[in-house]
Amino acid sequence: MNQYTKQTKLLFLITAISVVLAILSLINTSKKGTLDSEETTFAIMDSTKISAILIENKGKKIKLILENNKWKTAENVSIDDNLMYNFLDFLTKTTVKKPIANEEEKQTKKQISENGISITVLKSEEVLSKFNLLFEDENTVAYKDGFSKPYILNENLTETTKNALKITELNCWKNTVIFSSKPNTIERLSVSYTDSVEQNFTIKRGKFQFEIENMKNVDSLKTSAYLKLYEKIDIKRFCIESEQYKKDSLLKSKPTFVISLTDKFIEKSNSIAIFYVNGQKQPIFGLVGTQKELCVIKPRVFEYLLQKRSFFQQK
């Protein structure tokens, strides 16, 4: 064998070894637990596969279920649409910023185990994804089943959604729309004032158009525009367990305003009693419905509803 042939074989051997090492390196870096893999596998790319989500935190749990294209709790309570939209956006679009540093890994795993929020995403009974979240001052950390270490997320959760996940109470997730009636289904609507009863008014369906009790020369355009406001009126939020002590004192006092609506569809009928003192800073509380559920209102929303009787008088 001449020198040229030996060199050719040696060169071939070196090339073959290089190719094998490159393949092994590629396989190794493709395993779960690497940044490149996690960036593409953390999110559930197809939200249509999700049919239920179980959230657990510090002994509390809530299960969200998709039925007839509407999200509800396992107790059949409607979920706030905006809150759910933001949460699904997080599940389907969030990527990884970077893995936790090796020297912080043990401590981070301990914190997630003790204080993390467990989220299990389901397709029927099949687990699509399961991970723990930990909200720190500057970062959101996740530890997902199947990955070697925790990692910091490029998260896109609103503060409202973060709070709902942390507290894991039914009231944090409930639909906040309390009036959703179209004018053609409203039967009766009344607004009453504790401090100026002469400004109370009741709008009722008449034979040909809406009327206001004990008022002649009603401005029908103003009445129609006012009733149209009730197609979607929502509160800021329902109050959580730790705030319920406020309800006792409210029940012992008279509300400043009461709005009560009767709809053709009974399930859309509702009322709210609002408690407000001049100069009061937020939050402003209300009691919703026959169950007197404690809530925080949106002052700007209700300012439009709290018209006085004289507003409807034709001029």
Side-chain angles (χ1 to χ4, degrees):
M1 183 181 295
N2 58 38
Q3 186 69 21
Y4 178 77
T5 304
K6 286 182 179 180
Q7 289 178 348
T8 301
K9 285 188 174 182
L10 182 60
L11 183 60
F12 176 79
L13 182 60
I14 293 172
T15 303
I17 292 172
S18 298
V19 170
V20 171
L21 290 174
I23 292 172
L24 290 174
S25 176
L26 180 62
I27 292 172
N28 187 55
T29 56
S30 296
K31 291 179 180 178
K32 283 185 174 181
T34 65
L35 184 58
D36 288 343
S37 175
E38 289 171 341
E39 282 182 333
T40 58
T41 59
F42 173 77
I44 300 167
M45 304 309 292
D46 186 359
S47 63
T48 61
K49 293 182 179 179
I50 302 173
S51 62
I53 303 169
L54 178 63
I55 306 166
E56 301 176 78
N57 185 29
K58 296 184 178 179
K60 293 185 177 182
K61 65 174 65 176
I62 186 168
K63 190 172 185 179
L64 313 178
I65 301 170
L66 182 63
E67 288 185 354
N68 300 320
N69 294 319
K70 292 292 291 182
W71 281 94
K72 298 182 178 181
T73 67
E75 297 81 10
N76 201 35
V77 176
S78 295
I79 296 296
D80 182 82
D81 289 338
N82 290 331
L83 186 62
M84 198 65 210
Y85 175 84
N86 182 260
F87 187 35
L88 289 173
D89 198 54
F90 166 76
L91 292 176
T92 56
K93 295 180 182 178
T94 298
T95 58
V96 169
K97 184 184 293 184
K98 61 181 179 180
I100 290 291
N102 291 336
E103 62 271 18
E104 298 176 3
E105 184 176 328
K106 185 176 180 180
Q107 180 62 23
T108 301
K109 285 182 177 179
K110 183 176 183 294
Q111 289 177 341
I112 290 179
S113 174
E114 294 175 352
N115 304 309
I117 300 159
S118 172
I119 298 176
T120 306
V121 185
L122 302 163
K123 178 184 179 182
S124 297
E125 297 302 316
E126 175 191 355
V127 176
L128 294 177
S129 180
K130 186 174 182 179
F131 57 92
N132 283 354
L133 283 182
L134 182 67
F135 297 118
E136 298 181 325
D137 291 338
E138 297 181 357
N139 297 309
T140 297
V141 180
Y143 188 25
K144 184 174 179 179
D145 280 13
F147 286 3
S148 61
K149 60 168 58 185
Y151 41 89
I152 297 171
L153 298 179
N154 288 309
E155 56 92 356
N156 56 346
L157 281 168
T158 67
E159 286 303 314
T160 302
T161 312
K162 282 184 180 180
N163 289 335
L165 289 169
K166 287 177 185 176
I167 300 169
T168 321
E169 285 186 13
L170 173 61
N171 279 3
C172 294
W173 292 88
K174 284 177 65 173
N175 183 5
T176 56
V177 176
I178 61 169
F179 294 118
S180 59
S181 295
K182 294 185 179 297
N184 61 359
T185 65
I186 295 174
E187 297 292 337
R188 186 181 183 90
L189 174 68
S190 65
V191 177
S192 59
Y193 299 80
T194 300
D195 59 350
S196 53
V197 294
E198 70 280 1
Q199 291 296 345
N200 295 351
F201 62 88
T202 297
I203 302 173
K204 61 181 182 179
R205 184 177 296 280
K207 190 172 182 180
F208 301 106
Q209 61 182 16
F210 283 102
E211 302 170 350
I212 296 181
E213 285 186 350
N214 303 317
M215 181 186 287
K216 296 180 179 180
N217 301 320
V218 175
D219 189 322
S220 58
L221 291 178
K222 285 185 178 179
T223 305
S224 298
Y226 178 76
L227 292 176
K228 195 169 178 61
L229 295 173
Y230 286 83
E231 290 187 352
K232 185 180 182 299
I233 296 296
D234 63 340
I235 55 173
K236 188 171 184 179
R237 62 181 176 84
F238 284 100
C239 292
I240 58 176
E241 288 179 7
S242 61
E243 297 173 296
Q244 292 301 319
Y245 72 91
K246 297 182 176 71
K247 182 174 177 178
D248 292 336
S249 61
L250 294 181
L251 288 172
K252 294 175 184 177
S253 58
K254 289 184 178 181
T256 314
F257 317 100
V258 177
I259 301 173
S260 181
L261 184 149
T262 303
D263 194 283
K264 177 182 177 182
F265 301 101
I266 296 175
E267 67 275 10
K268 288 181 175 285
S269 297
N270 210 353
S271 64
I272 182 169
I274 299 171
F275 298 81
Y276 174 76
V277 178
N278 285 335
Q280 177 182 334
K281 295 181 179 179
Q282 296 191 38
I284 298 173
F285 293 97
L287 297 176
V288 176
T290 56
Q291 299 299 314
K292 308 293 185 185
E293 293 184 272
L294 185 65
C295 73
V296 176
I297 72 163
K298 295 178 179 179
R300 289 185 179 180
V301 171
F302 284 88
E303 282 173 3
Y304 294 106
L305 304 184
L306 297 172
Q307 299 293 344
K308 295 187 176 180
R309 181 182 179 85
S310 54
F311 172 79
F312 301 98
Q313 186 73 51
Q314 196 174 60
K315 297 177 181 178

